[in-house]
Amino acid sequence: MVDICFLSRGLTTLAGLLLLPFGSLAASQIEVTVENFLRVLTGRIPSSTPRSKRLLSDDRSNILIYMTGHGGNGFLKFQDSEEITNIELADAFEQMWQKRRYNELLFIIDTCQGASMYERFYSPNIMALASSQVGEDSLSHQPDPAVGVHLMDRYTFYVLEFLEEINPASQTNMNDLFQVCPKSLCVSTPGHRTDLFQRDPKNVLITDFFGSVRKVEITTETISLQPDSGVVESSYKKDQMVEELMEPLKYAEQLPVAQIIHQKPKLKDWHPPGGFILGLWALIIMVFFKTYGIKHMKFIF
């Protein structure tokens, strides 16, 4: 079984959390916090948490954790408001190992000084990859001309390009993954750590972590899947009664958008601006005085 925990950023902030035990969950930006991330990994979550938001792994699960975002020496930012340190991450992996929540774990991080995030790991069966060494920056790939910003980092781009060529029957191993982004392409120096991993990387297939083939256990026991017909019938009648009591749903009246767009603008009534009448009278009086003089005022009043 392959369980995947994936953290990614949108442009400049950590934006999403994706858990793939046997389905998928796209958590909202509010849910992606350091505390929630660590709780999902270690299983320290409330009993009311639905299965879709749990990491349903055991001691036979291979787990892939891919993290990317803004970081530095020994930390990775979450939402530009908090950060997770390499010590917190190492301790979380140790709790997972003690609780038998993984068999093998592949950790990949794409951030500045990414190698600092796996320096403190001490739990067995962990293989780690990073996009840059301590003191180096991880750079973005070419910008999107339509949006005007960089949408992906260099390391993530070349790893994705490499993985798109992998199929379920591929014999590509981890040593090939180590070479996907040399310094000539990434500008930074990617690193990896394999001393905690029990197997030789050349014997570890890419599909051990990036595959979706599930292991099936065969049992000789007979399992009855027929539900109780009485319970099903009563449940059906109850649902039918509820539907009859509910008022029929109606669609809300839509705005006549087509008419609004194509209709001609209504002409506004013209009104003279403020002071126009007063100024007109002043102009008439000035012309009168200039033409006739003040001696003719008695004919007006």
Side-chain angles (χ1 to χ4, degrees), residues 133-198:
Q133 299 292 334
V134 177
E136 292 183 340
D137 293 334
S138 291
L139 304 181
S140 300
H141 200 253
Q142 60 186 10
D144 187 290
V147 183
V149 296
H150 296 82
L151 301 182
M152 186 178 293
D153 294 332
R154 286 178 174 267
Y155 184 77
T156 299
F157 175 83
Y158 289 109
V159 168
L160 179 60
E161 187 179 54
F162 169 78
L163 293 175
E164 286 178 343
E165 302 298 327
I166 303 299
N167 56 70
S170 174
Q171 295 299 309
T172 309
N173 58 55
M174 283 297 168
N175 280 340
D176 299 320
L177 182 60
F178 296 159
Q179 310 299 326
V180 296
C181 191
K183 192 171 183 178
S184 58
L185 295 177
C186 278
V187 182
S188 60
T189 309
H192 57 271
R193 182 180 177 186
T194 60
D195 58 296
L196 298 173
F197 208 75
Q198 295 181 1

Side-chain angles (χ1 to χ4, degrees), residues 135 202 205:
K202 68 180 181 181
L205 299 179

